[in-house]
Amino acid sequence: PSLGELGRPTRGLGAMSGIAEYRRRVQARHRPVVAVATAPEVDACLARSGLTLVDALRPWSDVRGISFSVRLNPESGYPHVLSEFGVRFHDARECARVPGHVVDAHAAAALEPWSAADAPGLARALAGVPSDVPSLIAHARGERTSSETGGGTPMLVDDPATSKTFVAPWLDAYHARFDRAMQFADHEAIDHPVGVVYAVMANVPGEDPAEAYRRLAQDPASFPPCLRDAQLADPDVPTHCVLVHDASSPSAMSEADLEALRAKTQIAIGPSSGGTFVLPVNGAREPVVGRADAWSGHIETGLASTTRGIEPVTSGCAARGAYLSDEDIERHRVFVAELVNLSLLPSMDRRAKALNAVIIANRKGLKNQLKSFWGRSTGQIAKPEGDGGYTRDCIESQMRIAADLSMALRDYEGAAGLYRLLAADYKADKAWRRLGAAQESLGHALAMTQTPRRWTAEGPPHREARREAESALESAAGYHARAAATGTEPGTSQPANAPQTDRDITPADRARWATKAGLAHASFLAACGAHRECASPLMRASAEDSQNHARAALLLEGAAHAYLRAEVPMPRKAAIHMVLAGHRFNQAQLRAYAVRCYACALTVYAHEGAPLGKLAASWPRLGRTNGEGDGKVLNDVTDGIRSPDLKKTRVSSRRAAREAGERKSARLAVGLYHAALRALPAAVRVWFADLRDKNFARALASATALCVSPALLAAEFDAVERASKGNYGGGGLADDAGELTIKASRGNREVVARYDIDDACLELVVRLPASYPLGAAELDCAKRVGISEARLRKWMLTVTSILQHQNGAVAEGLMLWRSNIDREFKGVEPCPICYLVIHGTNHQTPRLVCRQCSNKFHSACLYKWFQSSSGSKCPLCQVPWGSNYR
C-alpha cells in the first residue's frame, strides 16, 4: 500500500471517542479542590493501612445519583441539573504553587522507566524500532503490540489506559506530571480550594475533639498556602470537622456514643462551620485479603512539602487499605457524597450567584460599558500595565473566580462568556500572563459547550466546531510568550507558593506557561483527529526561549509522531523532527531517547527512493555496543565533514566507554544533520529561521560554517562547473531561445549567471554565505541591458523564490529560471501565485484559466491557494472558481 493509505484514521467512532476522552479530561481537571488538614494522630492511625486521609478519600471522589439544579445567571435560560459531580482531595500543605525546579524534576521523573543508557537499555530501545516505514506508521497509530514485533520492547505503544493523547507512553506520562506540577497558579482560581476539611481523632482519652479542631484550624501551617496571600484567593471558604474513629483502639466507641459526640462537637464549634462528620477507620481486625486495591491508582506525589518533586518511598507492613473494613469504605463513600451534596455544591452555587450579580451590576448596560471603557482610557480606573495591580476585590479578579466556579459547576456557556469579558480587560491592561491563562480556559470552555450531536453531524476533524476553541488555545501560548520576564531562576531553597510579582517572573517560567498552553492546544487537536495541525503548537513550544532540553526534545518527538499519525502520513517531516529531537535528547543526557529518535529517522531515510541510503545501510553496524568497526563506519558516513580532534585523556574504563558512546552519538547526529542539509535544505532553513533561542542559532550557524558547509559548497560549485560545460544532470530545455553563461568563483563563494537573448542582457550574481545552505543565498543584479525595471523585479523575485524555497542546487535553480524566461519570451505568462512559468516541482506550465479575468495558474499553486484560504475564489479577481475553468 502507499504511504497515504497506511493507517488512515477511522472517521466517525474513533474520532468521537477522542473528543469524549478529551472532554472527560477537561472535566476532571476543573473539578473543585477540597483541602484536607489532619492532626498527627490521624496520620499515625491511617499509616497502619499505608494511607493518608487524602489517599483514603480519593477513590470515592466521584459522586453519582445526585440532583442539584444550577442556574448561576438569572438572565440565562433553563437551569441544568447535575446528576453527578466530582472533587479533588489535596493535602492542605500541597495546595500551593511550587518552584520551577520542582516542576521540572517532577515532570522529568516520567522519563526514568525508558532512560537506561547501558548496553541492555540501548538494546531494548533499538529492539522496538520498526525496520520499515509502514511499520513505523502503524506503531505511531498504536496498531501494533510488542507481540507483533518479535517480543521486543514496544516503541510507541503502551497501556491504552495511560496513552491517551500522544500514543507514546513517555509523552503522555510527562504531560500528566507536568500539568499536575503547574497547578495552583496565583493568576487563576481553578485550583483554589472551595472547602477545607480538618480531621481530628474522636477517641483519644482525655482530649476534647472540639478543642483539637480549634487548635488545628488556628494553626497557620494547616491552612492552604494558596488561600493566604494570593490575589484571587477567598479565605472565607466553608470548613468542616471530621472525627476519625479508630475502631481498633481500646477506647473505641459505640455508634450511639459517636453520634452524641458528633452533635456535641458541632454545638461547640458553632454553626459557622460546614458541618461535623464521623469517619471510621481500622474496622478490620486482620488484614483483608483478596480485595481489589482501590487506592494505589490515586496516590499522588507531594510537591510543595518536598524539595525535588520525586515520589517518596512508600513504607508499610501491609497492603494499602488492608485494615479498612467494607463498612469503613462504605462510610467513606457516604461521607464524600454528603460533603458534596450538603455543603460544597450549595456554597459554590451561592458564591457564584453573588459574584455574577456583582459582575452584572458593574458591566450591564451601555452606561456601565462606556464608563469602564473611558475609565481605562483616561486613567480614572488606575491600573499599571502588566500582570500586577489586581486585588481580590477588583472586578477582574471577581470575574476570574466566577468563571472558574462556572467551569467547576459545568455551566460552560456562562464560563465562556465571562472568560471573553475577562480577556478583553486583560488585553487592555497588557496583562499578558493573565490573558494567556484566560484564553486557555476559554478554549477549554468552548470545547465543552459543543454538544456531541454537533461534533457527530460535522464529522472529523470537526473544523467548524473547533474553530473558536482552537483560536483561543493557539493565542494562549502567544500571550504567555509576551509576558514580561526579568527575574532569575530561584535556587532550590525557594519556598512553595512564595509571592511572585512581575519582577520575579523568569524566562523559564514563561516557557513553562507557554508549554502548558501548547500541550493543551495539541491535545485538543489530537482529540479532533487533526494530527497534522497538532504538530504546530508542539514545535512552537519547543522553540521557546529558556526551554530545557528534555522538554524541547519531547515536544519535537511529539510533533514527529503527529506527522506520522496524520490522515496522509508525512514520514520525511517526521524524520527531520526525530533528528532534532535526538539532538536535544543528547544535550539532556538522555542517550536512550536520542538513539531511539535517530533510529526512527534512519528507518525513514532507508525507505526506497529516499536519500541517506549509505547512512541507513550502516545502521546494523552502528548498533554494536563495542568493536572497532563502529568508528570507521561513522567516519566513512561523515566523509567531508570537518570536526575538531578530541584531546586524548586518561580516564577510567567506564568513563572511556561513556565518552566513546557520546562521541558516537555526536557523529551520528552530525551525519544526519549533514544529510538533511544536503537533501532538504529549504526545510532546514525554515526551521532555523523560526529558532527563538538566538544563542543556539548563532552557535549552530558557526558550527555549520565550520564543519558542514565546506563540503556542501564544494558540491554546489562542482555542479555549477558541470552546468557551465553543458553536462549538468538537471539540464535545461532543448529549444532554448536565449543563451545562459554560468561562471563560479570558489574563493568569493559567488556564481555569476549571464543571460543573453536578442538585444537584451542580464547578469546576476548569486553569493552563497559561509553557513550555506543554512543561510539563504543573496542575489544581486550586476548588469542589465534592454530590460525594464518591472521585468527585472519580477525576474529577481523568481530567482529568489527558486533559490530559497526549492530543495534543488544553485545550478538547477538557474536552469529552471532560464527555462522560465525562455517561455516568457515565447509569450507564456507566469503564474500570478508563484511568479514562475514552469512549476518548480512538476515542471508544468500554467493551464487553469479563470473565466472572469483570464489569468492562468499552475494547478498545484491554485490547489495550495484554495487550501490556505479556506475558499475557492480566484486569487486576483476574487470571483468564485467553482467548476468554471477549462
Side-chain angles (χ1 to χ4, degrees), residues 31-36 53-63 86-92 95 184 195 197 298 300 332 335-337 339-340 344:
R31 288 179 175 181
V33 172
V34 178
V36 179
L53 183 58
V54 172
D55 299 334
L57 296 178
R58 274 179 179 157
W60 328 118
S61 57
D62 289 320
V63 180
V87 295
R88 290 179 286 155
F89 288 102
H90 280 279
D91 191 299
C95 297
F184 299 102
V197 171
H298 298 272
E300 287 190 359
H332 295 181
F335 161 70
V336 175
L339 179 70
V340 168
L344 296 181

Side-chain angles (χ1 to χ4, degrees), residues 536-550:
S536 297
L538 297 176
M539 288 188 292
R540 284 195 295 268
S542 71
E544 285 291 331
D545 293 338
S546 301
Q547 187 73 276
N548 68 40
H549 293 305

Side-chain angles (χ1 to χ4, degrees), residues 465-806:
R466 78 176 197 237
R467 189 179 300 277
E468 189 177 2
E470 181 182 355
S471 176
L473 291 170
E474 182 178 7
S475 63
Y479 288 132
H480 277 310
R482 297 176 65 179
T486 58
T488 57
E489 190 72 8
T492 56
S493 60
Q494 179 79 0
N497 216 66
Q500 190 176 40
T501 63
D502 285 354
R503 291 175 296 179
D504 298 326
I505 298 174
T506 67
D509 290 329
R510 184 173 59 189
R512 293 184 191 101
W513 296 330
T515 300
K516 179 174 175 288
L519 285 170
H521 186 196
S523 300
F524 176 68
L525 292 174
C528 293
H531 296 291
R532 179 178 177 180
E533 293 87 343
C534 174
S536 297
L538 297 176
M539 288 188 292
R540 284 195 295 268
S542 71
E544 285 291 331
D545 293 338
S546 301
Q547 187 73 276
N548 68 40
H549 293 305
R551 190 157 54 237
L554 285 166
L555 294 168
L556 289 169
E557 187 184 8
H561 292 168
Y563 283 126
L564 291 174
R565 298 177 68 192
E567 185 174 0
V568 178
M570 307 172 72
R572 293 175 68 88
K573 276 196 172 184
I576 189 62
H577 285 83
M578 283 291 185
V579 174
L580 299 175
H583 172 66
R584 298 302 290 267
F585 274 132
N586 203 33
Q587 289 181 307
Q589 304 300 318
L590 295 169
R591 290 187 56 217
Y593 286 89
V595 167
R596 183 186 292 109
C597 289
Y598 290 146
C600 291
L602 285 170
T603 298
V604 175
Y605 291 136
H607 192 68
E608 184 178 358
L612 304 183
K614 183 178 180 181
L615 187 59
S618 305
W619 177 251
R621 285 179 286 168
L622 296 180
R624 302 172 187 169
T625 57
N626 51 37
E628 298 179 356
D630 298 348
K632 183 178 184 303
V633 172
L634 285 169
N635 288 332
D636 292 342
V637 171
T638 56
D639 186 25
I641 305 174
R642 295 163 48 198
S643 58
D645 294 333
L646 299 176
K647 185 178 180 180
K648 295 183 179 180
T649 58
R650 302 179 63 182
V651 293
S652 65
S653 59
R654 182 176 297 178
R655 182 178 177 184
R658 184 174 67 252
E659 291 182 352
E662 292 174 353
R663 287 195 297 270
K664 185 189 302 182
S665 298
R667 288 173 180 168
L668 181 59
V670 171
L672 286 170
Y673 177 62
H674 170 266
L677 280 174
R678 183 178 57 200
L680 302 168
V684 178
R685 197 178 298 126
V686 170
W687 165 79
F688 178 76
D690 291 339
L691 286 178
R692 297 190 180 183
D693 190 343
K694 301 306 178 186
N695 293 329
F696 173 69
R698 285 193 293 267
L700 180 62
S702 301
T704 302
L706 177 65
C707 303
V708 181
S709 294
L712 297 180
L713 284 171
E716 285 289 347
F717 286 114
D718 290 343
V720 169
E721 290 175 357
R722 291 197 303 270
S724 64
K725 297 176 183 179
N727 58 355
Y728 176 68
L733 299 176
D735 55 345
D736 296 335
E739 180 181 356
L740 178 66
T741 305
I742 303 177
K743 296 181 180 180
S745 175
R746 295 177 183 260
N748 297 328
R749 299 194 304 275
E750 291 183 354
V751 177
V752 180
R754 179 186 176 93
Y755 181 82
D756 295 283
I757 183 170
D758 297 336
D759 295 331
C761 171
L762 177 63
E763 187 172 301
L764 299 179
V765 179
V766 181
R767 295 183 179 88
L768 303 181
S771 59
Y772 180 83
L774 196 61
E778 298 178 359
L779 188 66
D780 190 19
C781 178
K783 181 180 179 181
R784 67 182 177 97
V785 176
I787 298 175
S788 64
E789 185 71 24
R791 175 167 286 186
L792 174 64
R793 285 198 302 269
K794 185 169 67 173
W795 286 359
M796 294 281 284
L797 181 62
T798 301
V799 179
T800 302
S801 176
I802 292 173
L803 295 180
Q804 291 188 1
H805 304 296
Q806 300 292 332

Side-chain angles (χ1 to χ4, degrees), residues 208-275:
D208 182 13
E211 183 61 30
Y213 167 81
R214 294 192 191 95
R215 190 165 57 248
L216 184 63
Q218 293 172 3
D219 184 6
S222 300
F223 196 69
C226 65
L227 295 183
R228 296 175 192 167
D229 303 316
Q231 296 167 340
L232 295 178
D234 184 5
D236 299 327
V237 295
T239 59
H240 311 81
C241 176
V242 171
L243 304 178
V244 178
H245 177 247
D246 186 1
S248 65
S249 173
S251 58
M253 305 169 65
S254 65
E255 289 291 336
D257 293 339
L258 282 173
E259 178 59 28
L261 180 63
R262 188 201 67 80
K264 177 183 175 182
T265 305
Q266 178 64 47
I267 295 173
I269 63 179
S272 59
S273 69

Side-chain angles (χ1 to χ4, degrees), residues 355-419:
L355 288 171
N356 272 284
V358 173
I359 295 168
I360 291 174
N362 279 272
R363 292 301 173 88
K364 184 179 179 181
L366 180 62
K367 179 180 179 181
N368 285 330
Q369 292 180 13
L370 291 176
K371 181 174 65 175
S372 176
F373 174 77
W374 290 112
R376 288 178 183 276
S377 302
T378 59
Q380 295 175 9
I381 302 178
K383 285 191 183 72
E385 289 187 356
D387 289 289
Y390 294 99
T391 63
R392 183 166 59 89
D393 297 327
C394 70
I395 189 63
E396 290 83 4
S397 297
Q398 293 181 355
M399 278 196 293
R400 178 73 212 206
I401 296 172
D404 290 340
L405 281 174
S406 298
M407 283 291 290
L409 292 170
R410 304 182 186 180
D411 181 13
Y412 301 118
E413 292 185 1
L418 289 171
Y419 285 133

